[in-house]
């Protein structure tokens, strides 16, 4: 079963209202957790009645599903930008400082951690997260495969899968490190990322 945002006749107004709800929900989930934040709390933060929110989302699960969908769209856009680069593999390496900095920012990592926690106990949310991950992972694998092929490097599927998984693990681990060690040396971490990513992207 999938969760979807409800349709509304006035699409522009509905889109604005959904964003209003999502912005409020992000604040509430970040401060109270998914289960700690009630629809009443979200409606208060959004400045609308709980009944009004239900015009756009069936439940808190539907709100989380919207966050998963929006994040997948964000990643898809990033992948699309990479595909337009003359050398996408080098572009990944060149953008490391910006990418690491973004993933260490609390405004970025709080909600994904909350969604991951919910996915660990909610099969419906887990299915959504896995579907989104599968789609994004296949995009990255395609980019890495083409980039390596252009350089005459190995493109064996098993090898690519392992390298892509390692790259994803590195980036997905950043929010946890930011939580556990908020005083980490970001510049040193960026330098280490470059050292680790280069052989994954360009190595035989």
């Amino acid at each position: 079963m999938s969760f979807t945002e409800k349709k509304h006749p006035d699409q522009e107004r509905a889109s604005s209202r959904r964003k209003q709800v999502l912005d409020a929900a992000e604040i509430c989930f970040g401060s109270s957790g998914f289960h700690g934040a009630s629809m009443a709390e979200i409606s208060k933060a959004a400045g609308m009645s709980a009944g009004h929110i239900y015009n756009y989302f069936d439940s808190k699960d539907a709100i989380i599903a919207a966050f998963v969908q929006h994040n997948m769209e964000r990643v898809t856009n990033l992948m699309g930008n990479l595909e337009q680069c003359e050398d996408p593999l080098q572009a990944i390496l060149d953008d490391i400082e910006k990418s690491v900095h973004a993933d260490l920012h609390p405004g970025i990592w709080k909600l994904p951690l909350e969604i991951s926690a919910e996915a660990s106990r909610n099969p419906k949310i887990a299915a959504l997260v896995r579907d989104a991950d599968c789609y994004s992972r296949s995009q990255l694998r395609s980019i890495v495969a083409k980039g390596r092929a252009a350089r005459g490097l190995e493109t064996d599927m098993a090898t690519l899968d392992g390298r892509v998984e390692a790259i994803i693990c590195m980036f997905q681990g950043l929010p946890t490190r930011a939580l556990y060690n908020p005083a980490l040396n970001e510049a040193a971490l960026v330098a280490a990322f470059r050292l680790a990513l280069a052989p994954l992207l360009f190595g035989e």
Side-chain angles (χ1 to χ4, degrees):
M1 177 182 176
S2 62
F3 301 99
T4 58
E5 299 175 27
K6 286 188 172 183
K7 299 295 182 182
H8 195 280
D10 185 344
Q11 290 300 318
E12 185 175 347
R13 182 170 180 274
S15 178
S16 176
R17 288 293 195 178
R18 281 192 289 268
K19 184 179 185 308
Q20 187 176 341
V21 174
L22 292 175
D23 288 345
E26 183 171 2
I27 293 171
C28 295
F29 292 161
S31 61
S32 304
F34 179 67
H35 286 282
S38 66
M39 289 298 277
E41 182 182 350
I42 295 171
S43 67
K44 182 178 180 181
M48 63 177 72
S49 69
H52 198 174
I53 289 178
Y54 285 118
N55 287 329
Y56 303 102
F57 298 96
D58 289 328
S59 62
K60 284 196 293 184
D61 279 1
I63 292 175
I64 277 213
F67 283 126
V68 173
Q69 176 64 32
H70 292 179
N71 185 62
M72 187 177 75
E73 292 169 359
R74 179 185 68 83
V75 173
T76 296
N77 288 335
L78 290 174
M79 294 296 112
N81 291 336
L82 269 180
E83 287 177 324
Q84 300 304 313
C85 294
E86 184 177 345
D87 188 343
L89 300 190
Q90 187 60 48
I92 292 174
L93 209 57
D94 291 343
D95 285 345
I96 286 299
E97 184 173 2
K98 181 174 68 175
S99 301
V100 169
H101 179 74
D103 284 342
L104 290 175
H105 194 284
I108 298 293
W109 60 253
K110 275 191 174 182
L111 187 59
L113 284 182
E114 189 63 39
I115 291 174
S116 293
E118 181 61 20
S120 72
R121 54 185 172 250
N122 184 329
K124 293 176 181 177
I125 297 300
L128 293 176
V129 170
R130 288 166 184 162
D131 284 346
D133 177 79
C134 183
Y135 183 75
S136 300
R137 191 171 68 249
S138 67
Q139 286 183 298
L140 180 57
R141 183 175 56 208
S142 175
I143 289 170
V144 173
K146 290 177 181 177
R148 287 178 62 80
R151 292 169 177 264
L153 298 171
E154 175 64 60
T155 57
D156 172 72
M157 189 60 71
T159 300
L160 282 177
D161 282 344
R163 291 179 186 234
V164 167
E165 286 289 356
I167 292 169
I168 293 172
C169 283
M170 289 174 64
F171 283 101
Q172 286 189 335
L174 286 171
T176 303
R177 296 310 308 150
L179 175 63
Y180 289 3
N181 183 16
L184 63 81
N185 186 326
E186 186 174 325
L189 179 60
V190 168
F193 254 68
R194 286 199 179 99
L195 284 175
L197 274 177
L200 287 171
L201 294 170
F202 306 122
E204 295 288 352

